[in-house]
Amino acid sequence: MIGVELVKQLHRPRGWVTLGLVAAVPIVLVLVVGLSRPTVAERLGDYGSVVTNSSGLTLPLIALSAMLLFLLPLAVAVFAGETVAGEASWGSLRYLLARPVPRSRVLASKAVVAAGFSVATVVVVVVSGVVGGVLAFGWHPVTVVDLQHTTVFHVAAATFSAPAMVLRTLAAAAFILATLASTFAFAFFLSTLTTRPFSAVAGGVGLSLVSRALDNVPGLHALSPWLPVTDSGTTAWTGFFTSPPQTTDVVHTLVVQAVYSAGFLIAAFVWFTRSDIVA
Amino acid sequence: MIWVEFKKQWRRPRTVITFAALAVFSVVLTVAISATGSGTVERVGDVPLLIVPGTSGLSVPVIALSSTMKFFLPLAVAIFAGESVAGEAGWGSLRYALARPVSRAAYLATKLFVALVLSLVAIVLIPVAAVVAGTVAFGWHHLVIVNGAASTATHQVVANFSPGLVLGYLGVATAYVAAGMMSIFAFSFLLSTLTTRPFVAVAGGVSLTIVSRVFNSDYLPGVAVLNPYMPNNDVDLWQNFFVRPAVTSGMAHFLVLQVVYVVVFLGAAWIWFVRKDILT
Amino acid sequence: MPTAPEPPPVVLIEGLTKRLRGVLAVDGLDLTVERGQVVGLAGPNGAGKSVTLKILLGLVRPTSGRVELFGEPARPGAPALARVGALVDGPGFVPHLSGRVNLRLACRLAHLGDAELERAVANARLGPAIDRQYRTYSHGMRYRLGLAQALLGQPELLILDEPTTGLDPAHIREIRHAIADAAAAGATVLFSSHVLREVEQVCTHAVVMQQGRLVGAGRVEDLVHMTDTVRLETDRPDDAAEVLRATDGITSVLVDDGAVEAQGPALRPGDLLLKLDAAGLAVQGFRRGRSLEEAYLELVGETAAESGPPEASPGP
């Protein structure tokens, strides 16, 4: 079943275009940075700052930071939102379901393929960033200045060798994927409710945007730890690049994501297995 | 014709919900602030302004306007503008509305006017509700701006504004923010004449806001050069009213930018709509 | 010697009720379909035909009642669905894939091999278009592909919901032949239509629904009163009517629209014609039985009269 779903989705221009665009962004950044030669350090979240052209290995991080706000949630929402709603809009959902297979299995196969594409998106960004960055700026160690512990008298910094940097970058990428999970799950859930894929995608992106907007309202601080997408949550991975690594935010964010994702996915399964397919 | 249009749009669930949500936002904000610590210092905007909400109810409209101008207000404006023409097309009633002895330009102007009025009501709703809720919760006092970082324990008072003055500033600020929403409004309106799905027009307006945000030098290196031309970035300049000495540079530029965007988008909408074939 | 237990009916519906969006789409339906029958489900729009078929396929859950497919309860993912082929609410395929790939995917899901795929491709009779993207297909081509998918794996039960909607007469004939071929091969066919001429021509049995309820069911022959009704056209209908009334074995005579309809058990039309000829009355035209349309209208008209003004129909 997964094979069949894969064939359906692999042939879509949409998937390849998204991956292509996503791969292009780091390349564009390489060009921008290369042309402007900034020597001022780029900030990475709350914890650290890096100098962009000291090493090509900073590029994946810069790219991921830039795309976190909108492009990555959008890509993930597209993959998740298209799954069931797309099939319903083609009129082929009823034929997929009028078979001797439990509905939960059908839904699971769709979820797996969509998740695969989402993972591929982040992987593509990292690979493209590493390749483009290293070609342009070289394979060098990276120094990350620890902003939290730097004072006027002392600059706290950590230097990571190239292989260590790659490893931490992969860890950061995995974490970023986890922060996208709530958006994915919500878009997936919406996909089971509507026959218009666009609505599901927009809803997924909407969750991300509204959550961030609420996070930024001064006075609603009490709400922030419980929101699915927050500025601090999505940048907690920068804590991997200090020495020693800061992981409190990371753990908290992972728990929040797990709760929201589980909630939306369960809702999707319950709805899908119980609803009447009249479309 | 305008009256008919008003009746159509006013009672829609969409309209009612949007207004209700905006009004409630200010109230919820006030409740949240008073519950979690009206005594703590809140950092507002990039200026930055540091306010202790508990000292004056007039801090609430400042906070409310600051937090909604970058996403929720553009969203509301996009909803009203995006629904206007595309909604009719989606209902299938556009062709009947146009097959009458009324020029297309007049029809478009009616839609535009009504959507505009609704948007302005939405924008004004935020500070008005906030003033009411804030005054009820924290009182009608002077607005105090302090310095330092939000996390330090002691602060010095930097400026002190009488309530009347703050109200005046808020009035101007609301007008400024409203003007700042016009580029988004015009873009959504243009999309509304192009598509039969209101959702697309709304999403387009929101996307323009996002693009504007992303092309802010904070997020991407090297694109600072584009910043002054983005439709929604300098909408926070009104916060400079509360800085001493007051700074107003950049606001005129922003207003001119809005005019340019509006002329371009609405012009395109007009040209397109007057000429196109109505097939839906 | 113990006899083998009788196989369960292909479809068994008892007291089926379905409430959809506040309206009773199906109201206490009883229906049984045995192996080899070709059953036509007739009724106006909103009668509940589509909903009933979707319940059989496990797409819609009944509010109450018993629905069994090959002896097992009909539910989402029921194993019995492996023996069913369907075309419901029009064909539905993945637009950016070719007809062939769409069929291949369907084969994989049904665990069918390449031989079956080739059979289906031949069945669809689309020629080179089978390798073009589905979104480029015309209405008729889409239906052909949909029928080919329904016939994949030679299902024992074929469920077709309004299979001839919007098709031109040539395509309609194709569908009719496909149904006849399947029936000849031993399949059971359940198809719904509001074009009664089709039902009359193709089906062995007919079920008439209205507003979610059954208003008539039985063999088509019986419904059209094939054996006990005769309709005669003559220049002097009243005189003919008198003659017929006086004949033995005629239970009722109606004059309607310049024609005479005579009913009686075990009619022998030939004898009647001879009688009328002897009375000097020439018969210009005669037909056995009514048309299904007439029978249907009578059934539907009766029920409307009985139950008063119609409730809001559940919609298409």
Side-chain angles (χ1 to χ4, degrees):
Chain A
M1 267 217 67
I2 292 188
V4 167
E5 180 63 23
L6 211 51
V7 168
K8 273 186 212 169
Q9 299 296 342
L10 279 177
H11 282 238
R12 311 192 61 180
R14 200 164 306 203
W16 297 113
V17 165
T18 309
L19 288 180
L21 282 179
V22 151
V25 171
I27 307 295
V28 167
L29 278 179
V30 165
L31 291 175
V32 164
V33 169
L35 290 178
S36 59
R37 295 251 157 231
T39 48
V40 174
E42 278 302 317
R43 259 190 82 131
L44 281 188
D46 289 331
Y47 295 117
S49 60
V50 301
V51 178
T52 33
N53 54 359
S54 62
S55 163
L57 291 172
T58 59
L59 253 307
L61 299 176
I62 309 282
L64 285 172
S65 301
M67 298 172 72
L68 269 181
L69 173 66
F70 186 57
L71 287 179
L72 286 181
L74 178 65
V76 163
V78 164
F79 290 128
E82 273 286 325
T83 46
V84 179
E87 200 87 45
S89 68
W90 296 332
S92 52
L93 184 63
R94 52 182 179 268
Y95 294 109
L96 200 57
L97 294 179
R99 291 188 307 117
V101 172
R103 282 195 191 175
S104 50
R105 249 180 71 184
V106 176
L107 196 64
S109 68
K110 288 203 165 279
V112 164
V113 171
F117 272 94
S118 302
V119 171
T121 305
V122 172
V123 166
V124 162
V125 173
V126 170
V127 167
S128 167
V130 167
V131 168
V134 167
L135 282 179
F137 305 117
W139 174 266
H140 303 303
V142 176
T143 303
V144 179
V145 174
D146 187 344
L147 290 178
Q148 297 231 326
H149 294 108
T150 295
T151 64
V152 177
F153 304 107
H154 167 72
V155 174
T159 303
F160 301 99
S161 67
M165 193 67 187
V166 170
L167 223 55
R168 292 190 188 225
T169 303
L170 288 178
F175 177 76
I176 288 174
L177 262 178
T179 60
L180 292 169
S182 53
T183 307
F184 177 89
F186 187 62
F188 190 75
F189 172 55
L190 289 182
S191 194
T192 60
L193 297 178
T194 175
T195 58
R196 306 232 300 242
F198 188 76
S199 310
V201 173
V205 175
L207 179 79
S208 191
L209 296 178
V210 169
S211 179
R212 274 186 192 275
L214 289 177
D215 181 43
N216 276 310
V217 175
L220 290 183
H221 294 308
L223 203 55
S224 291
W226 312 112
L227 291 172
V229 180
T230 60
D231 288 343
S232 58
T234 50
T235 54
W237 52 272
T238 53
F240 289 156
F241 298 95
T242 56
S243 193
Q246 318 264 14
T247 51
T248 38
D249 265 359
V250 170
V251 171
H252 172 87
T253 309
L254 286 177
V255 170
V256 168
Q257 292 303 308
V259 169
Y260 274 101
S261 307
F264 288 133
L265 285 178
I266 290 175
F269 269 84
V270 167
W271 174 255
F272 193 68
T273 48
R274 300 203 63 77
S275 69
D276 293 333
I277 310 289
V278 196
Chain B
M1 224 169 73
I2 290 187
W3 181 238
V4 169
E5 182 59 25
F6 256 117
K7 291 201 81 158
K8 264 191 223 168
Q9 299 291 352
W10 184 254
R11 284 290 190 80
R12 305 188 56 182
R14 202 163 304 208
T15 309
V16 171
I17 290 178
T18 308
F19 285 158
L22 290 173
V24 163
F25 179 86
S26 294
V27 173
V28 167
L29 184 62
T30 311
V31 169
I33 292 177
S34 49
T36 59
S38 47
T40 56
V41 174
E42 295 290 352
R43 192 199 140 116
V44 176
D46 293 333
V47 180
L49 295 179
L50 296 164
I51 305 177
V52 184
T55 59
S56 167
L58 288 169
S59 58
V60 180
V62 172
I63 295 178
L65 208 54
S66 304
S67 41
T68 53
M69 66 186 174
K70 297 198 174 179
F71 180 65
F72 291 113
L73 282 181
L75 176 64
V77 162
I79 287 177
F80 290 126
E83 261 295 320
S84 50
V85 180
E88 289 271 14
W91 293 333
S93 55
L94 183 64
R95 53 181 179 271
Y96 298 110
L98 291 179
R100 292 188 301 125
V102 163
S103 75
R104 287 208 187 167
Y107 176 81
L108 205 62
T110 312
K111 288 277 182 194
L112 183 67
F113 180 72
V114 172
L116 190 60
V117 168
L118 290 176
S119 300
L120 291 177
V121 170
I123 294 173
V124 166
L125 207 53
I126 289 275
V128 165
V131 166
V132 171
T135 312
V136 164
F138 305 123
W140 178 262
H141 303 303
H142 285 236
L143 183 66
V144 170
I145 310 290
V146 301
N147 74 346
S151 49
T152 58
T154 58
H155 306 274
Q156 280 178 328
V157 173
V158 164
N160 191 317
F161 300 95
S162 74
L165 191 59
V166 175
L167 215 53
Y169 281 152
L170 277 175
V172 177
T174 307
Y176 179 74
V177 168
M181 294 295 123
M182 287 303 110
S183 51
I184 310 293
F185 178 89
F187 187 64
S188 280
F189 193 79
L190 168 63
L191 289 182
S192 193
T193 60
L194 296 176
T195 175
T196 60
R197 305 232 306 243
F199 207 14
V200 173
V202 174
V206 172
S207 301
L208 184 64
T209 314
I210 303 293
V211 167
S212 183
R213 291 266 126 249
V214 168
F215 275 79
N216 183 312
S217 54
D218 281 358
Y219 287 110
L220 289 180
V223 293
V225 63
L226 283 178
N227 200 16
Y229 302 106
M230 286 295 115
N232 201 40
N233 283 356
D234 287 335
V235 69
D236 54 359
L237 289 181
W238 59 270
Q239 291 169 341
N240 286 328
F241 286 160
F242 296 100
V243 170
R244 280 288 174 265
V247 176
T248 55
S249 70
M251 290 176 74
H253 169 88
F254 184 67
L255 290 176
V256 168
L257 190 65
Q258 296 300 309
V259 171
V260 170
Y261 273 113
V262 165
V263 166
V264 167
F265 290 140
L266 288 187
W270 185 62
I271 292 174
W272 169 252
F273 191 72
V274 163
R275 294 182 186 301
K276 78 169 194 177
D277 296 330
I278 307 292
L279 293 168
T280 45
Chain C
M1 193 173 78
T3 52
E6 256 187 42
V10 173
V11 169
L12 176 70
I13 297 180
E14 241 176 52
L16 176 63
T17 305
K18 174 64 187 174
R19 192 169 277 279
L20 206 53
R21 289 180 222 130
V23 174
L24 220 45
V26 182
D27 188 2
L29 181 68
D30 292 320
L31 171 62
T32 308
V33 177
E34 303 284 352
R35 227 158 277 262
Q37 292 179 347
V38 178
V39 179
L41 198 54
N45 287 328
K49 314 189 292 290
S50 274
V51 175
T52 306
L53 294 179
K54 289 196 180 130
I55 291 179
L56 277 176
L57 291 172
L59 295 175
V60 172
R61 269 179 213 276
T63 308
S64 65
R66 183 177 154 207
V67 181
E68 284 180 11
L69 203 54
F70 292 105
E72 295 165 24
R75 55 181 174 77
L81 287 171
R83 300 152 82 176
V84 178
L87 182 57
V88 175
D89 258 358
F93 290 100
V94 182
H96 57 272
L97 299 175
S98 74
R100 182 189 295 271
V101 174
N102 267 295
L103 285 177
R104 184 180 319 130
L105 291 182
C107 280
R108 271 178 70 172
L109 289 176
H111 308 292
L112 297 170
D114 280 342
E116 195 57 43
L117 173 63
E118 290 311 316
R119 244 194 89 242
V121 166
N123 239 345
R125 272 189 303 266
L126 288 170
I130 193 84
D131 290 308
R132 286 209 319 254
Q133 282 191 335
Y134 176 75
R135 64 167 133 232
T136 62
Y137 288 8
S138 70
H139 191 70
M141 291 162 80
R142 292 180 184 204
Y143 263 85
R144 281 223 199 94
L145 197 68
L147 194 59
Q149 178 183 266
L151 292 170
L152 269 182
Q154 284 148 304
E156 290 170 50
L157 171 63
L158 202 54
I159 293 186
L160 304 173
D161 185 19
E162 314 255 0
T164 57
T165 316
L167 293 181
D168 62 47
H171 285 133
I172 294 182
R173 218 163 50 136
E174 274 180 39
I175 300 239
R176 219 181 305 134
H177 285 176
I179 295 180
D181 290 343
T188 310
V189 180
L190 176 56
F191 92 91
S192 84
S193 177
H194 57 259
V195 179
L196 293 165
R197 184 107 64 75
E198 276 168 31
V199 174
E200 194 168 353
Q201 286 188 337
V202 178
C203 300
T204 58
H205 292 70
V207 171
V208 181
M209 284 180 74
Q210 194 197 33
Q211 290 176 5
R213 288 189 220 106
L214 195 71
V215 298
R219 293 162 36 143
V220 171
E221 303 190 325
D222 296 336
L223 286 175
V224 301
H225 298 280
M226 186 67 81
T227 53
D228 64 0
T229 306
V230 124
R231 189 183 166 88
L232 303 160
E233 283 171 28
T234 156
D235 295 332
R236 289 150 58 194
D238 297 306
D239 296 338
E242 268 198 48
V243 171
L244 289 173
R245 280 198 193 100
T247 313
D248 284 336
I250 300 293
T251 50
S252 90
V253 179
L254 271 174
V255 177
D256 163 42
D257 236 358
V260 181
E261 199 178 272
Q263 256 191 332
L267 271 183
R268 289 170 57 84
D271 295 347
L272 293 178
L273 287 177
L274 287 174
K275 270 206 104 171
L276 289 170
D277 188 50
L281 294 165
V283 170
Q284 306 302 343
F286 105 94
R287 191 185 70 199
R288 298 194 66 155
R290 305 196 191 116
S291 71
L292 188 56
E293 196 173 308
E294 287 168 359
Y296 164 82
L297 285 173
E298 200 180 284
L299 283 169
V300 164
E302 267 176 19
T303 326
E306 275 173 5
S307 64
E311 304 164 350
S313 65

